Amino acid sequence: MFVFDLSQKCADDEEICQQVFDWTDSQRAANAADLLVGKPLALMGLLLLGVAVRWLLHRVVDRLVRRAAEGGINTKADRDARAARAGRFGLRRKAKLDWSTMDLNMASARRTQRAETLGSVFKSGITGVVAAIIATMMLSEIGVDIAPIIASAGIIGIALGFGAQSMVRDFLSGTFMIIEDQFGVGDVIDVGEATGVVEALTLRVTRLRSLDGTVWYVPNGEILRVGNKSQNWSRALVDVGVAYGQDLNHAQRVLREIAHDMWEDEDYRGIIIEEPEVTGVEELAADAVTLRVLIKTAPLEQWQVARELRARIKARFDNEGIEIPFAQRVVWLREEPETPSTETGGNAEEPN
């Protein structure tokens, strides 16, 4: 409970107190008027000031979020640059345009989601800071000594800083992950101990679901490196072993035909986004010559494309008579010499 001294003189900034004192020539009446009218008006003014500052800063954040979300993704220059780059790789016109549109839409959605998440974080921080400052000013207005409060807040902040270092690290790491767009919900990532689909991403923790259904909760501060398998585009890599006795030029020509047939297949239009490439001999292994096929695909489609490609290679190689070697083992059988029979003694009687 606060006790106010009605006999003290009016301060220089207490205009209502001074005005009433001039009218009544009574210090008690002046202080009472300041207490009943001046203080509530000052508190209301501070509250309105806080609301106005919060609204203004939130508008600034909204504008920055909107600019970050729009950020030149759908400009004509971007489309022309993508089309020119795609043309150098030999894309068909329709597939090129379809993929360019899909790529732009995905990039726009990711940028919008990232900008909105950061905007929400900044708004929450602004609200907390403004509320703390206005509350402190209101306490000072009603006569509370705020010096101990400020000192206590500093001590508490230091204690929390030492006691919650891991949490602070998690929040800072999560903030930079979102700003840099290292990964997002729906991406397949490898963070070391855990690999799976990102189901949720917050400033403190990332939730993954692995292929066997296990849900992993990984603190962002514990993520030292991230391998994103589905950002922007993916690549199916298929290694094929061919026997040493086969004609490698013929095998590579058949692989190119198989890959080109998939490229022309309507079922894979928009999934395979570039002409497949047969790079040639990758390895001379102990029992096979390894040939490699590379196919650039839409995100998360590389595994499906690789499975279909392997099935087509097996069927076509069987038809062409190209041998795919498999691990073989040579077994040597050694015959032990027969043990000589025991000789009969000299006194043994011969049978009749």
Side-chain angles (χ1 to χ4, degrees):
M1 181 177 180
F2 301 104
V3 179
F4 296 93
D5 185 7
L6 297 180
S7 62
Q8 62 182 0
K9 293 183 178 181
C10 300
D12 294 337
D13 58 345
E14 295 177 347
E15 297 181 359
I16 295 179
C17 181
Q18 290 285 357
Q19 188 66 38
V20 174
F21 180 77
D22 293 338
W23 289 345
T24 63
D25 197 25
S26 173
Q27 191 64 58
R28 288 183 176 272
N31 288 330
D34 182 68
L35 178 61
L36 297 177
V37 179
K39 297 295 184 184
L41 288 178
L43 295 177
M44 184 63 66
L46 290 173
L47 184 61
L48 293 177
L49 175 63
V51 172
V53 171
R54 176 184 177 275
W55 177 84
L56 180 62
L57 294 178
H58 279 204
R59 286 294 300 272
V60 173
V61 171
D62 290 337
R63 184 181 294 266
L64 294 176
V65 167
R66 186 163 57 252
R67 287 187 178 180
E70 295 173 354
I73 291 181
N74 294 318
T75 60
K76 185 177 183 301
D78 284 339
R79 290 194 180 96
D80 293 343
R82 289 179 182 274
R85 186 170 61 252
R88 289 197 299 271
F89 287 109
L91 282 173
R92 294 164 297 178
R93 181 174 179 80
K94 186 175 185 305
K96 174 181 65 179
L97 295 177
D98 290 344
W99 170 249
S100 297
T101 303
M102 184 189 308
D103 194 11
L104 289 173
N105 291 336
M106 288 189 297
S108 177
R110 289 178 66 93
R111 180 172 292 193
T112 300
Q113 180 185 20
R114 186 171 69 251
E116 290 178 350
T117 301
L118 290 176
S120 177
V121 173
F122 289 150
K123 285 183 178 180
S124 299
I126 288 172
T127 301
V129 172
V130 171
I133 294 175
I134 295 300
T136 304
M137 294 174 66
M138 293 174 70
L139 290 176
S140 177
E141 183 65 29
I142 62 177
V144 177
D145 186 7
I146 62 173
I149 298 177
I150 297 176
S152 300
I155 295 174
I156 293 174
I158 295 174
L160 290 177
F162 281 106
Q165 293 183 29
S166 60
M167 184 174 295
V168 174
R169 185 173 66 248
D170 293 341
F171 276 95
L172 291 177
S173 299
T175 300
F176 283 106
M177 287 177 183
I178 295 175
I179 292 176
E180 297 169 359
D181 192 25
Q182 297 180 11
F183 55 86
V185 176
D187 287 347
V188 177
I189 64 173
D190 180 358
V191 294
E193 293 291 333
T195 301
V197 181
V198 179
E199 289 190 340
L201 171 61
T202 64
L203 291 180
R204 196 188 70 84
V205 69
T206 298
R207 189 177 75 214
L208 304 176
R209 186 176 294 273
S210 63
L211 189 62
D212 61 0
T214 303
V215 178
W216 295 88
Y217 294 89
V218 184
N220 293 330
E222 300 296 327
I223 299 177
L224 301 180
R225 54 104 176 123
V226 179
N228 194 326
K229 300 182 179 181
S230 56
Q231 197 171 49
N232 300 330
W233 54 271
S234 301
R235 174 169 285 154
L237 186 151
V238 177
D239 288 335
V240 183
V242 178
Y244 273 93
Q246 300 295 323
D247 184 356
L248 293 183
N249 292 328
H250 176 59
Q252 292 183 67
R253 184 170 60 254
V254 171
L255 286 177
R256 291 190 183 94
E257 292 176 358
I258 297 171
H260 185 75
D261 289 342
M262 286 192 66
W263 165 245
E264 296 289 344
D265 195 335
E266 291 293 332
D267 294 337
Y268 290 93
R269 185 181 299 273
I271 296 178
I272 300 177
I273 61 178
E274 283 187 7
E275 178 77 35
E277 178 185 3
V278 179
T279 59
V281 178
E282 290 293 330
E283 183 182 4
L284 298 175
D287 52 1
V289 179
T290 302
L291 304 177
R292 175 167 294 177
V293 183
L294 300 177
I295 302 181
K296 191 174 181 179
T297 70
L300 299 177
E301 299 291 345
Q302 67 269 33
W303 299 293
Q304 173 193 349
V305 172
R307 287 191 292 267
E308 177 64 21
L309 180 63
R310 292 189 187 98
R312 295 191 182 196
I313 290 174
K314 176 62 170 63
R316 182 70 181 275
F317 274 24
D318 289 345
N319 186 53
E320 296 285 339
I322 301 176
E323 180 185 355
I324 301 178
F326 55 89
Q328 302 182 25
R329 178 178 297 174
V330 178
V331 180
W332 294 86
L333 298 178
R334 185 175 65 179
E335 296 184 0
E336 296 289 342
E338 296 183 358
T339 304
S341 59
T342 305
E343 298 181 357
T344 57
N347 297 330
E349 298 182 355
E350 294 182 0
N352 294 330

